[in-house]
Amino acid sequence: MRILALVPGGISEQILFFPTLATLKAQYPQATIDVIVEPRAKSAYRVCAQVNEVLAFDYRDRNGLADFLNLLGIIRDREYEAVVTVARQWTIKLLLWLNGIPQRVGYQGSASFFLSATVSFKPDQYVPFLFHDLTQGFGINRPCPPLQITLPKADIEWMEATQKKLDLGNGGYVVLNGGAIRQPDTGDFPYPIAQWHEIIEDIKQKQPGLKIVLIPPAEDTGWVQAMQDHNPGAIAIRPGDVGKMAALLAGANLVVCTEGIPMHLAIAVGTYTVAILGKTPAARIIPPDQEKFIGLQVPSGKEADVKPALVLKKIWR
């Protein structure tokens, strides 16, 4: 059996879709599963064991007839027996119908008649649960498994070598990751450097043996430099890919971060995580009923309004 999944979005969205892939593979262990994702998200599948082939299509682009015909040909050549789509555009649903794939599963909405089975779209729940609802279209009645990834051996070896080189293994280390876009009104970052500094100083005072490791944002506009100016002993590590980043996070004692790829990876590898959140509701991106993963936010929806005292309370609870 060949199954295709269409998953628009970035790396974070792909990671949040992994439990759905895990359930499909568990239900159809002999199946070959391929995915079609945006080019920016292909690297996520370095840490996914369920997927055979990763194909690219830019769902966000203003695609013309030639683009859709090309995608139509790519799908038709592989002769899929089933497809599940997170994409809700009517053009995608039409495309799947034109391909003649027998089993076509997606969300209820416009042009649902092009699908063979639909499920309700419930966007207010934890996103992996939202995605996992699609398995009901296959007649599967399983609970959503936890967010998990598979670390390549090479990435584990890289982590071990990095820990040895930087002497991270003896006293342990805390990973910090923050947003890179400076705020136009203050010129500071979404979570201000002074507040990061307060958190770091408290950690150093209570656990002087712990090293502070910084994972730079994807587009670092000076966050690392600003952090090191206030905290010269902080070590910046640029993992290079999703697998190495996940391995680095897996070895940490604690992760303190804002919303982003490191947050999702830290949850996937099971490291105690305190996430400083903005407007995205914590219930959508933090697993429910899990004491190891904490999302902190305030009514203003501003990360900067989450006081260091609250962050530290959750760290030392």
Side-chain angles (χ1 to χ4, degrees), residues 1-7 17-35 45 48-51 81-86 103-106 131-145:
M1 183 178 187
R2 297 203 70 173
I3 301 174
L4 175 66
L6 280 67
V7 193
F17 190 73
F18 286 178
T20 301
L21 294 169
T23 291
L24 289 173
K25 191 65 175 178
Q27 182 74 16
Y28 308 108
Q30 303 304 316
T32 297
I33 302 177
D34 298 341
V35 294
Y45 289 88
C48 181
Q50 288 80 25
V51 167
E81 297 164 70
V83 59
V84 55
T85 176
V86 175
Q103 199 168 6
R104 305 177 304 280
V105 176
F131 290 158
H132 196 265
D133 285 348
L134 289 166
T135 63
Q136 297 170 16
F138 290 84
I140 300 172
N141 186 24
R142 296 178 183 231
C144 181

Side-chain angles (χ1 to χ4, degrees), residues 110-300:
S110 63
S112 291
F113 48 83
F114 288 126
L115 302 174
S116 62
T118 61
V119 300
S120 298
F121 184 71
K122 302 174 183 177
D124 294 332
Q125 60 183 324
Y126 180 47
V127 173
F129 293 173
L130 169 67
F131 290 158
H132 196 265
D133 285 348
L134 289 166
T135 63
Q136 297 170 16
F138 290 84
I140 300 172
N141 186 24
R142 296 178 183 231
C144 181
L147 210 59
Q148 292 181 333
I149 60 175
T150 302
L151 292 176
K153 181 181 177 181
D155 295 339
I156 296 173
E157 292 173 347
W158 172 88
M159 177 193 70
E160 292 171 346
T162 300
Q163 287 181 333
K164 185 176 181 180
K165 178 182 177 181
L166 299 175
D167 192 26
L168 299 177
N170 294 329
Y173 59 97
V174 176
V175 171
L176 308 182
N177 172 263
I181 301 174
R182 293 182 182 268
Q183 304 303 289
D185 53 343
T186 65
D188 207 338
F189 296 93
Y191 199 68
I193 296 298
Q195 291 175 221
W196 278 118
H197 179 60
E198 191 174 333
I199 293 169
I200 292 172
E201 284 301 305
D202 194 83
I203 291 173
K204 288 164 63 178
Q205 182 180 358
K206 289 185 171 67
Q207 294 286 340
L210 282 176
K211 289 184 170 58
I212 305 298
V213 171
L214 310 175
I215 292 184
E219 296 181 7
D220 186 5
T221 58
W223 183 79
V224 166
Q225 186 62 55
M227 290 285 280
Q228 290 179 325
D229 286 345
H230 282 74
N231 307 280
I235 303 167
I237 299 179
R238 293 170 171 80
D241 59 56
V242 169
K244 293 178 179 61
M245 183 186 294
L248 182 66
L249 293 163
N253 300 62
L254 166 72
V255 175
V256 185
C257 59
T258 55
E259 182 183 351
I261 295 168
M263 182 193 78
H264 297 301
L265 289 175
I267 291 171
V269 297
T271 300
Y272 187 75
T273 302
V274 177
I276 302 164
L277 303 178
K279 294 181 179 180
T280 305
R284 297 201 71 232
I285 53 176
I286 301 293
D289 304 320
Q290 292 281 345
E291 294 186 356
K292 291 177 67 175
F293 314 124
I294 300 168
L296 301 177
Q297 57 190 163
V298 294
S300 69

Side-chain angles (χ1 to χ4, degrees), residues 57 59 61-74 89 91-92 95 99:
F57 179 76
Y59 298 91
D61 198 9
R62 298 181 64 179
N63 296 294
L65 179 60
D67 299 302
F68 283 110
L69 288 175
N70 182 55
L71 181 60
L72 182 72
I74 290 172
Q89 303 101 303
T91 48
I92 295 294
L95 187 78
N99 260 290

